Amino acid sequence: MKKLAVVAAVIASVLSLDVCAGNTYVGAGLGYQSMWANSIKFTGWRPGIFIGYGGRMDDDSDDYYLALEFASTWVSEIKNDYVNRDQSVRMAPNLSLSLLPGVVMAPYTMLYGRFGLGEAKRSVENDWLRFFSAGVGVEYDLTPCWAMRAEADY
């Protein structure tokens, strides 16, 4: 069994748009993943979708935000520099459930963190691995119901 040394991912959104309906929101994202174990390296684009429920926590100043989000990503473009394809570290699909606490920094800009649990399917071995993810991101409101965000996850 391989040791997974580092899983670095920009999973949920390099350029991600989400639309809100009350406190529920849905969106699509495009991420770039880089992961390696020993001398095996795998990189690829990860498109995905997400749905969440969240809102501002402080009625007086609306400075704090909290959301719960389910996300699913898959691999589209693949580059694997390991020659033995029977031992690939490719993970697809990837399902996660995350808590997103945030702080409003400006009227249309929010800084948030991501703390989540998930599962990813290892393609060659055909088994599911559980993981913990943590990240940080920034969200900018384009309109009252459209936002764009950039995020980096580990």
Side-chain angles (χ1 to χ4, degrees), residues 20-124:
C20 67
N23 287 351
T24 303
Y25 61 91
V26 295
L30 178 63
Y32 184 77
Q33 171 181 320
S34 177
M35 56 193 281
W36 57 91
N38 299 330
S39 63
I40 308 165
K41 185 171 183 184
F42 172 80
T43 57
W45 290 102
R46 292 194 76 95
I49 55 174
F50 55 88
I51 184 168
Y53 183 84
R56 305 269 173 104
M57 301 303 293
D58 186 7
D59 291 335
D60 296 334
S61 60
D62 279 344
D63 287 341
Y64 302 105
Y65 177 84
L66 185 63
L68 184 66
E69 184 176 288
F70 173 75
S72 176
T73 62
W74 55 92
V75 177
S76 66
E77 185 176 323
I78 301 163
K79 178 182 176 238
N80 186 345
D81 66 359
Y82 191 62
V83 294
N84 186 354
R85 298 293 184 227
D86 293 337
Q87 297 181 10
S88 175
V89 294
R90 177 180 179 195
M91 303 284 186
N94 183 338
L95 307 171
S96 66
L97 185 64
S98 301
L99 187 65
L100 283 74
V103 175
V104 177
M105 304 301 285
Y108 302 109
T109 306
M110 178 179 65
L111 181 66
Y112 65 93
R114 175 180 298 274
F115 304 97
L117 299 172
E119 282 192 321
K121 184 178 179 186
R122 207 165 26 168
S123 298
V124 173

